[in-house]
Structures are given as structure tokens and as C-alpha cells.
Amino acid sequence: MKKMFYFVFAFVATLLFVPSVSALAPEYNLQMGTEKKEVFLANGNAITVTADPDNAEGAIITWEGGSQKVTKAVTIFGGAHNDATELATTSITMNGGKVKNIFGGGLHKSGVGTSNISINGGQVTGSIMGGGYHGFLSDADYTAELASLTASDAPTSPVYVKEAYITVNGGNLDGVMIFGGGGGYSRTDIVNIEINNHTGTIAYLIGGGSNGYTGKAYVTLNEGSVDVMQSVNRGSMDSTLLVVNGGEVENLYVVAEEDPNALVGVVTAASVVVEGGLVTNLETGVSGGLDGSNNTNAVPTEGVYVTYNEDTVTNIDETTFPEDAVTETVTLTLVTFDGTETVEVPKGSVWDEEELIEELNADLKDLGYEVEGIYADEDYTKAYDFSVALDADTTMYINLVEIVNASNPATADTGVTAAIVFAALAILGLGFALRKRCFN
């Protein structure tokens, strides 16, 4: 059995929407910069985008104390423009209407603690970014202070978002590019993207920004259609975790899609977990660099990790991945009187029956139960054969009995079945990831 590299992070974030300290009201400019782009700056005010009953090709943006009609060409920034004052939060909620771009951070020099983008309806036709954008347009402020920034400056860029959250629950995102980070030589420290539902096919779903620096990115696809899902576009990243629980992905690259005309970015450690849905093609992808004169795109030889169930991936050539980078899994279902839990375990896993039961009983003692036996059928008539490796999806039925004279069993946060899962995985020495507990 291959050595297990199952880098799964249970990234649970509780978002507290604290109003930003901002003395500025939102700003709307129909012809901003030399490019004369339509721009709406929320300046840290929480805004909601809805349909315009008078113009199906536009939207209405509202905030406490005001509203603004915009056209479908508008780019919305949650943050400010060329203001070094850090905003605590930005919040953009889209329920309807049509817009071009939505960026959680600010334009040019700007700082945001936490950016929040929630797409529930309407249509975006361009890009969604969790971070801010350095160099989105040319104006006096950009020319004077930011035009000289380079890729090496991105990790300390004055255009930054510390934590970026993007949640998609609906809306038409056909052809849209979703970036967890920002644009240009911006900085985004932590990214969390969750795709729950939408119409159309997302063109690109990327953990990092279009360029610049992104620290850690966690991207989860639960439902929906994606053409390309990958860790990095350009620039640099520390680590990514791409999780597919459902939906469809045509091309999933652990690092990045090959671009024959440009240098792609780099990521120190990139992990992919495919537990559900359908991925047509799963590849390592390529890694590039920050300077085209010193780096070339190449298949990475380390720092990539893949865990997948054979029922979820159509095409994968494991020989193209670094040694020990790929772990194929099967689904193990554990059933007790308390309920059912499923977990992905490496294909070929084998338990020692006595060791497993000893570990289970140690964890179940405080709950007032012990294992009577582990069976292959729900009537507890056929003992489970532990000599057979887990080479296919498997169900174990665990018969539990109350411990006689058990006094005052402890109240546990997890149920009996969940406790069994934790103990079983501990025997294998694995990090665990219960699908519905970690990602849903």
C-alpha cells in the first residue's frame, strides 16, 4: 500500500460581520482612470446587489442610507481606493441583477481585514476575486505609488486582504473566473471558497489570485459545473487544498494548467481531495515561477498530493505524479445503532481486529459502551473478515452493548458512531475528514 499523504484540513470559519470603521460613503464613477471604467467603491460599507426593475442589463446596489443604479459593465470593490487605512471588513451580497466584476478588497493601495462575497442570484459576467486589485486601471495614484511594484513585492504589498471568503449559493456564473486572491501584485493571506450551487459553467476556479501572492487557500466544490479547477494562476502561494465533494469538473490541476504563452505561478504545497462528484481529467499540471527570464513551466517533482475515489475520476495517470503523491481511496461505511458515518480510507487498508476493537473500546468507554463484535451484515450473523484488504467500498456493522455498571458516562460532543470513526482512523495513523462534518 502506498504511503498515505492525506493533507486534509478541517477549515471551519465562523464569520462575524462587524461593520467597518469607515468615514467614507460608497463612491460611483462611470469613467474612472484613463481606461474610463465603470467602478463602484463600497468603501467598507456592507452592500447588496439586486435586480433593477427598469433595466434587466444592470443592477441596483443598496447600503444603509443609500442606493445606486449601475450598468452591467460595473466593477464592484468592497474596499476603498488608494487609502492606507485598513477596513475591518467588507461585505458584498449579490441576490440579483447583472454586473461584470466583484472584488472583495480595494483598488490600488488599500487594506482589508476580512472580505466577504456571497453570490445567491443574478449574473456575473467577468471575474470574482476575494482580494483587492493592484493595477486594475491607470490613474494618478497608481502611476505615482504603485506602478513600480514587482512580483517579489507582492508578499508585502500595500494592496492586501488578510482573509477572503467567497460563497456561491446560486446565480448565473457561466464563463466566470473565480480567484480566491486578488489582481496584480496584491496580497491575500487566507482564502476560503465554497461553491454550493449555481447555473452555467465556471470557466476557472482558482485558489490563488490572478497574480500576486496568496498564502493559504481552501476551495470546496459541493455542486455545480467547472471547466478548470486549479491551485494557482500566476504569482506565488504557500499552500492549497482543493476539495471536490460534488458537481462536475472537466479539468482538475493540482498546480496549474499549462499556458504555452505565459509563465504560470508556483505553490509550495498543493493538495487535492476528490470524494464525490465527477472529475473528467485529473493531472499534476505545471509549476512556473515569478520571473520569465529565470523560470520555465515544468511538471513539479514534489509538493503535490492527491487523494481520490476511483468512482469520482475518469482519467488519471498516476505515473505522471511524484512518487507517493497519489492515494486512491475507497469509501468505508460504519453503522451502529446510533447512525451511519462514511469516510475515505486508502485502498488496500488492513486492520488488526484485536487492535481495532481495543482502540474502539478505549474511545467508547466514556460513552458507556463497548464493542461486542464487528459484522458484515446488519443482523450481526456474519463476522467481518479482517484478513481481506479494503479494495472496494465496504460497510462494517458494529454491534455495541452497554457496559454493565457503567456510572455517569461522560457527555460527548460527538456521537457513538463518530467516535468509532475517529478511533478506526487513528489505528491507520491517518488524518481524518468526515465529509459532512468538515466541508458541508
Side-chain angles (χ1 to χ4, degrees), residues 294-335:
N294 298 324
N295 308 102
T296 57
N297 293 334
V299 176
T301 58
E302 60 182 4
V304 297
Y305 310 97
V306 174
T307 303
Y308 76 100
N309 186 296
E310 63 180 352
D311 296 332
T312 65
V313 177
T314 303
N315 300 309
I316 179 173
D317 184 355
E318 294 189 16
T319 64
T320 64
F321 288 80
E323 184 179 1
D324 290 331
V326 179
T327 301
E328 186 178 347
T329 67
V330 295
T331 302
L332 175 63
T333 302
L334 301 175
V335 182

mmCIF file of all heavy atoms in Angstrom, residues 294-335:
data_model
loop_
_atom_site.group_PDB
_atom_site.id
_atom_site.type_symbol
_atom_site.label_atom_id
_atom_site.label_comp_id
_atom_site.label_asym_id
_atom_site.label_seq_id
_atom_site.Cartn_x
_atom_site.Cartn_y
_atom_site.Cartn_z
ATOM 1 N N ASN A 294 14.096 33.602 -15.610
ATOM 2 C CA ASN A 294 14.788 32.639 -14.767
ATOM 3 C C ASN A 294 14.021 31.336 -14.573
ATOM 4 O O ASN A 294 14.552 30.390 -14.020
ATOM 5 C CB ASN A 294 15.048 33.236 -13.374
ATOM 6 C CG ASN A 294 15.944 34.454 -13.435
ATOM 7 O OD1 ASN A 294 16.860 34.501 -14.247
ATOM 8 N ND2 ASN A 294 15.673 35.441 -12.595
ATOM 9 N N ASN A 295 12.768 31.281 -14.967
ATOM 10 C CA ASN A 295 11.946 30.116 -14.705
ATOM 11 C C ASN A 295 11.222 29.675 -15.974
ATOM 12 O O ASN A 295 10.949 30.470 -16.860
ATOM 13 C CB ASN A 295 10.899 30.420 -13.620
ATOM 14 C CG ASN A 295 11.505 31.013 -12.373
ATOM 15 O OD1 ASN A 295 11.429 32.211 -12.171
ATOM 16 N ND2 ASN A 295 12.105 30.191 -11.541
ATOM 17 N N THR A 296 10.905 28.399 -16.013
ATOM 18 C CA THR A 296 10.096 27.867 -17.096
ATOM 19 C C THR A 296 9.024 26.962 -16.506
ATOM 20 O O THR A 296 9.184 26.417 -15.413
ATOM 21 C CB THR A 296 10.948 27.053 -18.086
ATOM 22 O OG1 THR A 296 11.616 26.003 -17.377
ATOM 23 C CG2 THR A 296 11.961 27.942 -18.792
ATOM 24 N N ASN A 297 7.925 26.796 -17.228
ATOM 25 C CA ASN A 297 6.863 25.910 -16.769
ATOM 26 C C ASN A 297 7.338 24.460 -16.826
ATOM 27 O O ASN A 297 7.920 24.019 -17.818
ATOM 28 C CB ASN A 297 5.624 26.073 -17.640
ATOM 29 C CG ASN A 297 4.997 27.446 -17.477
ATOM 30 O OD1 ASN A 297 5.141 28.085 -16.443
ATOM 31 N ND2 ASN A 297 4.294 27.889 -18.501
ATOM 32 N N ALA A 298 7.088 23.709 -15.759
ATOM 33 C CA ALA A 298 7.515 22.309 -15.717
ATOM 34 C C ALA A 298 6.621 21.543 -14.753
ATOM 35 O O ALA A 298 6.049 22.120 -13.820
ATOM 36 C CB ALA A 298 8.972 22.201 -15.284
ATOM 37 N N VAL A 299 6.518 20.235 -14.963
ATOM 38 C CA VAL A 299 5.759 19.392 -14.043
ATOM 39 C C VAL A 299 6.505 19.324 -12.721
ATOM 40 O O VAL A 299 7.706 19.016 -12.694
ATOM 41 C CB VAL A 299 5.582 17.974 -14.623
ATOM 42 C CG1 VAL A 299 4.880 17.075 -13.618
ATOM 43 C CG2 VAL A 299 4.802 18.033 -15.925
ATOM 44 N N PRO A 300 5.857 19.643 -11.596
ATOM 45 C CA PRO A 300 6.556 19.637 -10.308
ATOM 46 C C PRO A 300 6.966 18.229 -9.892
ATOM 47 O O PRO A 300 6.282 17.251 -10.196
ATOM 48 C CB PRO A 300 5.523 20.232 -9.341
ATOM 49 C CG PRO A 300 4.208 19.950 -9.986
ATOM 50 C CD PRO A 300 4.443 20.036 -11.459
ATOM 51 N N THR A 301 8.069 18.106 -9.199
ATOM 52 C CA THR A 301 8.571 16.811 -8.744
ATOM 53 C C THR A 301 8.341 16.579 -7.251
ATOM 54 O O THR A 301 8.683 15.525 -6.728
ATOM 55 C CB THR A 301 10.070 16.690 -9.040
ATOM 56 O OG1 THR A 301 10.765 17.771 -8.386
ATOM 57 C CG2 THR A 301 10.327 16.766 -10.537
ATOM 58 N N GLU A 302 7.781 17.560 -6.568
ATOM 59 C CA GLU A 302 7.478 17.412 -5.146
ATOM 60 C C GLU A 302 6.413 18.425 -4.752
ATOM 61 O O GLU A 302 6.089 19.342 -5.498
ATOM 62 C CB GLU A 302 8.737 17.627 -4.302
ATOM 63 C CG GLU A 302 9.368 18.994 -4.470
ATOM 64 C CD GLU A 302 10.641 19.161 -3.668
ATOM 65 O OE1 GLU A 302 11.081 18.192 -3.037
ATOM 66 O OE2 GLU A 302 11.194 20.279 -3.668
ATOM 67 N N GLY A 303 5.862 18.239 -3.557
ATOM 68 C CA GLY A 303 4.905 19.204 -3.020
ATOM 69 C C GLY A 303 3.493 19.081 -3.545
ATOM 70 O O GLY A 303 2.677 19.967 -3.316
ATOM 71 N N VAL A 304 3.150 17.978 -4.244
ATOM 72 C CA VAL A 304 1.777 17.777 -4.710
ATOM 73 C C VAL A 304 1.242 16.478 -4.120
ATOM 74 O O VAL A 304 1.958 15.476 -4.045
ATOM 75 C CB VAL A 304 1.675 17.753 -6.247
ATOM 76 C CG1 VAL A 304 2.089 19.077 -6.834
ATOM 77 C CG2 VAL A 304 2.509 16.632 -6.845
ATOM 78 N N TYR A 305 -0.042 16.505 -3.693
ATOM 79 C CA TYR A 305 -0.643 15.357 -3.022
ATOM 80 C C TYR A 305 -2.078 15.195 -3.512
ATOM 81 O O TYR A 305 -2.826 16.167 -3.574
ATOM 82 C CB TYR A 305 -0.620 15.545 -1.503
ATOM 83 C CG TYR A 305 0.735 15.944 -0.979
ATOM 84 C CD1 TYR A 305 1.029 17.284 -0.739
ATOM 85 C CD2 TYR A 305 1.729 15.002 -0.758
ATOM 86 C CE1 TYR A 305 2.282 17.667 -0.285
ATOM 87 C CE2 TYR A 305 2.986 15.367 -0.304
ATOM 88 C CZ TYR A 305 3.256 16.712 -0.066
ATOM 89 O OH TYR A 305 4.492 17.090 0.378
ATOM 90 N N VAL A 306 -2.456 13.962 -3.842
ATOM 91 C CA VAL A 306 -3.788 13.691 -4.369
ATOM 92 C C VAL A 306 -4.404 12.506 -3.648
ATOM 93 O O VAL A 306 -3.751 11.464 -3.469
ATOM 94 C CB VAL A 306 -3.736 13.389 -5.882
ATOM 95 C CG1 VAL A 306 -5.109 12.959 -6.390
ATOM 96 C CG2 VAL A 306 -3.247 14.593 -6.657
ATOM 97 N N THR A 307 -5.647 12.654 -3.249
ATOM 98 C CA THR A 307 -6.428 11.557 -2.697
ATOM 99 C C THR A 307 -7.749 11.518 -3.445
ATOM 100 O O THR A 307 -8.437 12.537 -3.520
ATOM 101 C CB THR A 307 -6.683 11.746 -1.189
ATOM 102 O OG1 THR A 307 -5.431 11.862 -0.511
ATOM 103 C CG2 THR A 307 -7.455 10.586 -0.622
ATOM 104 N N TYR A 308 -8.097 10.352 -4.005
ATOM 105 C CA TYR A 308 -9.322 10.293 -4.789
ATOM 106 C C TYR A 308 -9.949 8.907 -4.721
ATOM 107 O O TYR A 308 -9.272 7.908 -4.491
ATOM 108 C CB TYR A 308 -9.047 10.657 -6.252
ATOM 109 C CG TYR A 308 -8.378 9.562 -7.057
ATOM 110 C CD1 TYR A 308 -9.120 8.749 -7.899
ATOM 111 C CD2 TYR A 308 -7.004 9.344 -6.969
ATOM 112 C CE1 TYR A 308 -8.514 7.732 -8.635
ATOM 113 C CE2 TYR A 308 -6.386 8.354 -7.697
ATOM 114 C CZ TYR A 308 -7.144 7.542 -8.531
ATOM 115 O OH TYR A 308 -6.540 6.541 -9.244
ATOM 116 N N ASN A 309 -11.260 8.878 -4.917
ATOM 117 C CA ASN A 309 -12.002 7.636 -5.022
ATOM 118 C C ASN A 309 -12.142 7.303 -6.498
ATOM 119 O O ASN A 309 -12.452 8.170 -7.314
ATOM 120 C CB ASN A 309 -13.386 7.786 -4.370
ATOM 121 C CG ASN A 309 -14.151 6.483 -4.307
ATOM 122 O OD1 ASN A 309 -14.495 5.903 -5.336
ATOM 123 N ND2 ASN A 309 -14.437 6.039 -3.107
ATOM 124 N N GLU A 310 -11.905 6.044 -6.856
ATOM 125 C CA GLU A 310 -11.889 5.670 -8.264
ATOM 126 C C GLU A 310 -13.223 5.938 -8.962
ATOM 127 O O GLU A 310 -13.262 6.110 -10.184
ATOM 128 C CB GLU A 310 -11.527 4.194 -8.429
ATOM 129 C CG GLU A 310 -12.527 3.230 -7.808
ATOM 130 C CD GLU A 310 -12.124 1.781 -8.007
ATOM 131 O OE1 GLU A 310 -11.160 1.530 -8.760
ATOM 132 O OE2 GLU A 310 -12.774 0.900 -7.408
ATOM 133 N N ASP A 311 -14.306 5.989 -8.216
ATOM 134 C CA ASP A 311 -15.615 6.245 -8.818
ATOM 135 C C ASP A 311 -15.808 7.717 -9.183
ATOM 136 O O ASP A 311 -16.790 8.062 -9.840
ATOM 137 C CB ASP A 311 -16.737 5.825 -7.858
ATOM 138 C CG ASP A 311 -16.739 4.328 -7.588
ATOM 139 O OD1 ASP A 311 -16.290 3.571 -8.486
ATOM 140 O OD2 ASP A 311 -17.171 3.911 -6.496
ATOM 141 N N THR A 312 -14.897 8.582 -8.758
ATOM 142 C CA THR A 312 -15.082 10.020 -8.949
ATOM 143 C C THR A 312 -14.190 10.620 -10.029
ATOM 144 O O THR A 312 -14.372 11.782 -10.392
ATOM 145 C CB THR A 312 -14.818 10.774 -7.636
ATOM 146 O OG1 THR A 312 -13.435 10.610 -7.267
ATOM 147 C CG2 THR A 312 -15.705 10.265 -6.513
ATOM 148 N N VAL A 313 -13.218 9.867 -10.530
ATOM 149 C CA VAL A 313 -12.270 10.388 -11.515
ATOM 150 C C VAL A 313 -12.259 9.487 -12.743
ATOM 151 O O VAL A 313 -12.051 8.274 -12.629
ATOM 152 C CB VAL A 313 -10.848 10.492 -10.929
ATOM 153 C CG1 VAL A 313 -9.866 10.969 -11.985
ATOM 154 C CG2 VAL A 313 -10.835 11.430 -9.730
ATOM 155 N N THR A 314 -12.462 10.092 -13.919
ATOM 156 C CA THR A 314 -12.479 9.306 -15.151
ATOM 157 C C THR A 314 -11.087 9.021 -15.666
ATOM 158 O O THR A 314 -10.741 7.877 -15.984
ATOM 159 C CB THR A 314 -13.288 10.046 -16.243
ATOM 160 O OG1 THR A 314 -14.610 10.309 -15.753
ATOM 161 C CG2 THR A 314 -13.377 9.204 -17.502
ATOM 162 N N ASN A 315 -10.239 10.049 -15.758
ATOM 163 C CA ASN A 315 -8.900 9.884 -16.324
ATOM 164 C C ASN A 315 -7.838 10.412 -15.374
ATOM 165 O O ASN A 315 -7.852 11.585 -15.003
ATOM 166 C CB ASN A 315 -8.782 10.634 -17.659
ATOM 167 C CG ASN A 315 -9.778 10.145 -18.691
ATOM 168 O OD1 ASN A 315 -9.883 8.960 -18.941
ATOM 169 N ND2 ASN A 315 -10.526 11.082 -19.277
ATOM 170 N N ILE A 316 -6.900 9.543 -14.986
ATOM 171 C CA ILE A 316 -5.745 9.957 -14.191
ATOM 172 C C ILE A 316 -4.602 9.001 -14.500
ATOM 173 O O ILE A 316 -4.789 7.781 -14.549
ATOM 174 C CB ILE A 316 -6.040 9.975 -12.677
ATOM 175 C CG1 ILE A 316 -4.781 10.396 -11.895
ATOM 176 C CG2 ILE A 316 -6.567 8.653 -12.189
ATOM 177 C CD1 ILE A 316 -5.015 10.599 -10.408
ATOM 178 N N ASP A 317 -3.430 9.529 -14.755
ATOM 179 C CA ASP A 317 -2.232 8.725 -14.981
ATOM 180 C C ASP A 317 -1.318 8.938 -13.787
ATOM 181 O O ASP A 317 -0.586 9.921 -13.705
ATOM 182 C CB ASP A 317 -1.553 9.153 -16.279
ATOM 183 C CG ASP A 317 -0.341 8.279 -16.608
ATOM 184 O OD1 ASP A 317 0.010 7.412 -15.784
ATOM 185 O OD2 ASP A 317 0.253 8.479 -17.684
ATOM 186 N N GLU A 318 -1.340 7.980 -12.851
ATOM 187 C CA GLU A 318 -0.578 8.145 -11.617
ATOM 188 C C GLU A 318 0.921 8.162 -11.857
ATOM 189 O O GLU A 318 1.679 8.684 -11.026
ATOM 190 C CB GLU A 318 -0.946 7.034 -10.628
ATOM 191 C CG GLU A 318 -2.382 7.099 -10.137
ATOM 192 C CD GLU A 318 -2.642 6.127 -8.997
ATOM 193 O OE1 GLU A 318 -1.666 5.634 -8.392
ATOM 194 O OE2 GLU A 318 -3.836 5.873 -8.699
ATOM 195 N N THR A 319 1.369 7.644 -12.976
ATOM 196 C CA THR A 319 2.812 7.619 -13.250
ATOM 197 C C THR A 319 3.365 9.010 -13.528
ATOM 198 O O THR A 319 4.586 9.205 -13.491
ATOM 199 C CB THR A 319 3.129 6.711 -14.447
ATOM 200 O OG1 THR A 319 2.515 7.250 -15.630
ATOM 201 C CG2 THR A 319 2.604 5.303 -14.207
ATOM 202 N N THR A 320 2.487 9.965 -13.810
ATOM 203 C CA THR A 320 2.956 11.333 -14.089
ATOM 204 C C THR A 320 3.118 12.146 -12.812
ATOM 205 O O THR A 320 3.589 13.279 -12.863
ATOM 206 C CB THR A 320 1.982 12.055 -15.025
ATOM 207 O OG1 THR A 320 0.703 12.202 -14.376
ATOM 208 C CG2 THR A 320 1.793 11.284 -16.320
ATOM 209 N N PHE A 321 2.729 11.589 -11.665
ATOM 210 C CA PHE A 321 2.838 12.296 -10.393
ATOM 211 C C PHE A 321 4.123 11.895 -9.681
ATOM 212 O O PHE A 321 4.670 10.818 -9.916
ATOM 213 C CB PHE A 321 1.642 11.964 -9.495
ATOM 214 C CG PHE A 321 0.350 12.583 -9.934
ATOM 215 C CD1 PHE A 321 -0.399 12.029 -10.959
ATOM 216 C CD2 PHE A 321 -0.130 13.728 -9.314
ATOM 217 C CE1 PHE A 321 -1.595 12.599 -11.362
ATOM 218 C CE2 PHE A 321 -1.314 14.307 -9.710
ATOM 219 C CZ PHE A 321 -2.054 13.740 -10.736
ATOM 220 N N PRO A 322 4.608 12.742 -8.783
ATOM 221 C CA PRO A 322 5.772 12.352 -7.980
ATOM 222 C C PRO A 322 5.491 11.078 -7.189
ATOM 223 O O PRO A 322 4.335 10.749 -6.887
ATOM 224 C CB PRO A 322 5.964 13.553 -7.045
ATOM 225 C CG PRO A 322 5.320 14.701 -7.747
ATOM 226 C CD PRO A 322 4.156 14.112 -8.488
ATOM 227 N N GLU A 323 6.528 10.364 -6.838
ATOM 228 C CA GLU A 323 6.376 9.117 -6.083
ATOM 229 C C GLU A 323 5.652 9.373 -4.762
ATOM 230 O O GLU A 323 5.937 10.330 -4.050
ATOM 231 C CB GLU A 323 7.750 8.506 -5.801
ATOM 232 C CG GLU A 323 7.689 7.155 -5.108
ATOM 233 C CD GLU A 323 9.065 6.563 -4.871
ATOM 234 O OE1 GLU A 323 10.068 7.224 -5.238
ATOM 235 O OE2 GLU A 323 9.142 5.462 -4.310
ATOM 236 N N ASP A 324 4.718 8.485 -4.454
ATOM 237 C CA ASP A 324 3.938 8.547 -3.215
ATOM 238 C C ASP A 324 3.015 9.759 -3.132
ATOM 239 O O ASP A 324 2.521 10.103 -2.061
ATOM 240 C CB ASP A 324 4.836 8.540 -1.963
ATOM 241 C CG ASP A 324 5.513 7.207 -1.750
ATOM 242 O OD1 ASP A 324 4.933 6.179 -2.158
ATOM 243 O OD2 ASP A 324 6.613 7.185 -1.178
ATOM 244 N N ALA A 325 2.774 10.432 -4.247
ATOM 245 C CA ALA A 325 1.922 11.624 -4.223
ATOM 246 C C ALA A 325 0.443 11.293 -4.301
ATOM 247 O O ALA A 325 -0.392 12.093 -3.896
ATOM 248 C CB ALA A 325 2.288 12.558 -5.378
ATOM 249 N N VAL A 326 0.106 10.110 -4.831
ATOM 250 C CA VAL A 326 -1.289 9.779 -5.103
ATOM 251 C C VAL A 326 -1.746 8.639 -4.212
ATOM 252 O O VAL A 326 -1.071 7.614 -4.080
ATOM 253 C CB VAL A 326 -1.491 9.387 -6.579
ATOM 254 C CG1 VAL A 326 -2.952 9.031 -6.838
ATOM 255 C CG2 VAL A 326 -1.052 10.514 -7.493
ATOM 256 N N THR A 327 -2.896 8.818 -3.602
ATOM 257 C CA THR A 327 -3.524 7.768 -2.807
ATOM 258 C C THR A 327 -4.946 7.561 -3.299
ATOM 259 O O THR A 327 -5.766 8.474 -3.242
ATOM 260 C CB THR A 327 -3.556 8.140 -1.311
ATOM 261 O OG1 THR A 327 -2.223 8.347 -0.855
ATOM 262 C CG2 THR A 327 -4.219 7.046 -0.497
ATOM 263 N N GLU A 328 -5.214 6.380 -3.802
ATOM 264 C CA GLU A 328 -6.576 6.045 -4.192
ATOM 265 C C GLU A 328 -7.333 5.561 -2.960
ATOM 266 O O GLU A 328 -6.792 4.829 -2.133
ATOM 267 C CB GLU A 328 -6.577 4.963 -5.268
ATOM 268 C CG GLU A 328 -7.965 4.680 -5.823
ATOM 269 C CD GLU A 328 -7.942 3.649 -6.921
ATOM 270 O OE1 GLU A 328 -6.849 3.324 -7.419
ATOM 271 O OE2 GLU A 328 -9.031 3.164 -7.281
ATOM 272 N N THR A 329 -8.567 5.983 -2.819
ATOM 273 C CA THR A 329 -9.340 5.638 -1.632
ATOM 274 C C THR A 329 -10.577 4.815 -1.986
ATOM 275 O O THR A 329 -10.993 4.748 -3.139
ATOM 276 C CB THR A 329 -9.798 6.894 -0.872
ATOM 277 O OG1 THR A 329 -10.742 7.612 -1.673
ATOM 278 C CG2 THR A 329 -8.625 7.782 -0.529
ATOM 279 N N VAL A 330 -11.114 4.194 -0.964
ATOM 280 C CA VAL A 330 -12.427 3.563 -1.045
ATOM 281 C C VAL A 330 -13.275 4.140 0.072
ATOM 282 O O VAL A 330 -12.759 4.722 1.039
ATOM 283 C CB VAL A 330 -12.337 2.033 -0.918
ATOM 284 C CG1 VAL A 330 -11.580 1.443 -2.094
ATOM 285 C CG2 VAL A 330 -11.673 1.642 0.402
ATOM 286 N N THR A 331 -14.568 3.983 -0.041
ATOM 287 C CA THR A 331 -15.477 4.519 0.968
ATOM 288 C C THR A 331 -15.783 3.455 2.004
ATOM 289 O O THR A 331 -16.268 2.370 1.668
ATOM 290 C CB THR A 331 -16.786 5.004 0.325
ATOM 291 O OG1 THR A 331 -16.478 6.006 -0.652
ATOM 292 C CG2 THR A 331 -17.714 5.598 1.378
ATOM 293 N N LEU A 332 -15.490 3.766 3.247
ATOM 294 C CA LEU A 332 -15.806 2.874 4.356
ATOM 295 C C LEU A 332 -17.026 3.422 5.083
ATOM 296 O O LEU A 332 -17.034 4.568 5.532
ATOM 297 C CB LEU A 332 -14.630 2.773 5.322
ATOM 298 C CG LEU A 332 -14.870 1.965 6.602
ATOM 299 C CD1 LEU A 332 -15.176 0.509 6.269
ATOM 300 C CD2 LEU A 332 -13.669 2.061 7.532
ATOM 301 N N THR A 333 -18.065 2.611 5.187
ATOM 302 C CA THR A 333 -19.287 2.992 5.889
ATOM 303 C C THR A 333 -19.352 2.236 7.201
ATOM 304 O O THR A 333 -19.268 0.995 7.223
ATOM 305 C CB THR A 333 -20.533 2.676 5.041
ATOM 306 O OG1 THR A 333 -20.429 3.364 3.787
ATOM 307 C CG2 THR A 333 -21.805 3.125 5.751
ATOM 308 N N LEU A 334 -19.496 2.939 8.298
ATOM 309 C CA LEU A 334 -19.587 2.347 9.632
ATOM 310 C C LEU A 334 -20.989 2.564 10.180
ATOM 311 O O LEU A 334 -21.471 3.690 10.242
ATOM 312 C CB LEU A 334 -18.544 2.970 10.556
ATOM 313 C CG LEU A 334 -17.085 2.815 10.113
ATOM 314 C CD1 LEU A 334 -16.167 3.583 11.049
ATOM 315 C CD2 LEU A 334 -16.693 1.353 10.053
ATOM 316 N N VAL A 335 -21.630 1.470 10.584
ATOM 317 C CA VAL A 335 -23.029 1.521 11.019
ATOM 318 C C VAL A 335 -23.132 1.004 12.450
ATOM 319 O O VAL A 335 -22.626 -0.084 12.772
ATOM 320 C CB VAL A 335 -23.930 0.672 10.103
ATOM 321 C CG1 VAL A 335 -25.395 0.774 10.546
ATOM 322 C CG2 VAL A 335 -23.789 1.113 8.651
#
